[in-house]
Every structure is written in C-alpha cells, then in structure tokens.
Amino acid sequence: MSSRVVLITGGGTGIGRAAAELFAERGWQVMISGRREAPLAEVSGSNPNIGYRVADVSAAGAAETLVAHTIDSYGRLDALVNNAGGFTAATLDTVDEDQLVRLFRINVFAPAQLLRAALPHLKVTGGSVVNVTSAVAQRPQAPASAYYGASKSALDHLTRSWAAELAGVGVRVNAVAPGPTDTPIQNLGGSPEETTRHKQMQAEHLPLRRLGEPGEVARWIHLLADPASGWVTGQVLAVDGGMTVA
C-alpha cells in the first residue's frame, strides 16, 4: 500500500484534512492542496506521508499544475479526491452573474479539469475518483442555498456520467454526499454563541440529532478510493445523518 498516491483538494481543513490524515495513516502518499499555506503546512507537518501545494483549483492551469506536481513528487497517481468546494448564499433577488460563475467554477469546472488532467495517470494505475458533493443536492434547504445545491447536483450527475464513460478504461468514479458536518465552514463569522445556535438548529433537523464529524465522512472517501471497492462505481453515497430521508 505504501506505493499508492492520492491527490486531495481542499486538504487543509475539515473533511479534506481528515481524509488526508486517514490516507496517510493507511500508508498512502498524500498530496493536498488549498488556497492558504498555513493549514496545509500544519497538516503536512503532522505526517511525513503528506505533501502540499498551494493552489486555487478554480484558477486557469491549476489542475494541470497540481497533477504535474503530484507526479513529479511521487511518480504516480492512484486516486483523486475532489473535495475543494465553495458556497454562495444567494436568492433570486440577490444573486449576480459573478457569484454564479465563481461558484460553478469551483464546484463543477474544477473537478472536471482535475479529472481530465489526472486521467492519463489514473488509467495506468487503474485508479479511482471520489467527488465530495452535498446532501443539499438531493434535499433542498433554505432558498439561499439553492445555487450551491444546483452546483453539487451537477457534480452528482457528472459522477455517474464519468463512471459510465471511464469504466472501460478501468477508472472508477464515486462520490460522497455529506450532510451538515462540524467543519470550519459552520463558522458564520459571528459570535461563538451564534455559531453554536446555528449548529444546534441544523442538528435538530437531522434524524440522528447531531452534526457529522469530518472523520466520519473521510472514512467513506477512503473506502471508495481503495482498490478493495473495485466493484463499486457510479455511486453517490449519502453520509448525512439521515438528512435525505427525513
């Protein structure tokens, strides 16, 4: 297992960080990316199996640069985890074109560009892709999350389409769709009390009555990426505390 390599975007915090740490613990060589160097360096410093590259996945040429850096560092690529994502709070009355372009560039275009850049290497290793989408794609929430949900719904569809398209070359594509998870994105920028109330409100609407932990999502990312799941492709797995069945 020590020869396997995974590239994880958005690997400095939250679900991406938990996934990076889990893959590294299981003996994988891990390359993480993100826009801020400090959290990436912290994660990388915690395990010699984790390297990092500062990058905005939505920027022109970032996908090719990230994949090339991973290959230069480790010589191969066995799994791509498209975890980096963005959120835009907007309604029909408030949304503007720049917000939508930015949102879809991060949540839809970047995963597509990364997979295109990674595909020649994944074909060689018989590798896999795991996209991180959202339960909001299946269960609409507040109107302000409509465009975010639409972008993640697009990624759900691409997951299934790519799985069918790439099955013939031995590359699997799956996704996990987390519900509300206790990550830094839950911090609304207000007081700690406001953040606590926000988390409690979300938990109360889940059948399991609590937020998920990043490690609980990371566990399924690793499982889907692992060759032991070689009979699984085209799936969008809800890891959401029951949100989509409530």
Side-chain angles (χ1 to χ4, degrees), residues 6-206:
V6 58
L7 169 60
I8 303 174
T9 64
T13 62
I15 293 169
R17 175 173 183 159
E21 292 171 342
L22 179 58
F23 275 95
E25 289 170 6
R26 300 294 171 87
W28 290 59
Q29 297 294 321
V30 182
M31 182 64 66
I32 59 174
S33 73
R35 290 181 294 173
R36 295 180 296 130
E37 183 167 15
L40 296 174
E42 181 181 343
V43 178
S44 178
S46 70
N47 192 304
N49 286 353
I50 302 175
Y52 74 90
R53 175 87 176 204
V54 177
D56 178 350
V57 294
S58 68
E64 293 79 7
T65 298
L66 270 176
V67 171
H69 179 70
T70 303
I71 297 301
D72 289 344
S73 298
Y74 300 125
R76 60 183 287 159
L77 183 62
D78 297 80
L80 167 66
V81 178
N82 283 311
N83 171 70
F87 178 83
T88 294
T91 64
L92 278 169
D93 293 333
T94 63
V95 71
D96 63 47
E97 183 177 347
D98 289 342
Q99 284 179 303
L100 285 181
V101 169
R102 173 68 177 164
L103 181 67
F104 276 78
R105 185 176 291 141
I106 297 171
N107 291 354
V108 182
F109 303 157
Q113 291 162 344
L114 280 157
L115 177 51
R116 182 171 60 185
L119 186 56
H121 309 287
L122 295 174
K123 286 180 180 179
V124 171
T125 58
S128 66
V129 181
V130 182
N131 298 316
V132 179
T133 68
S134 172
V136 176
Q138 303 299 322
R139 183 70 181 268
Q141 299 295 295
S145 66
Y147 298 101
Y148 170 76
S151 69
K152 291 298 189 177
S153 182
L155 189 54
D156 282 355
H157 182 82
L158 287 171
T159 295
R160 298 183 179 100
S161 298
W162 289 335
E165 180 180 347
L166 300 179
V169 296
V171 175
R172 298 183 301 110
V173 186
N174 292 287
V176 294
T181 307
D182 195 0
T183 67
I185 200 172
Q186 294 292 337
N187 188 338
L188 302 178
S191 68
E193 293 76 18
E194 289 174 324
T195 298
T196 298
R197 284 195 297 270
H198 174 67
K199 291 179 180 180
Q200 290 174 340
M201 179 188 69
Q202 288 188 305
E204 288 168 1
H205 288 86
L206 295 173

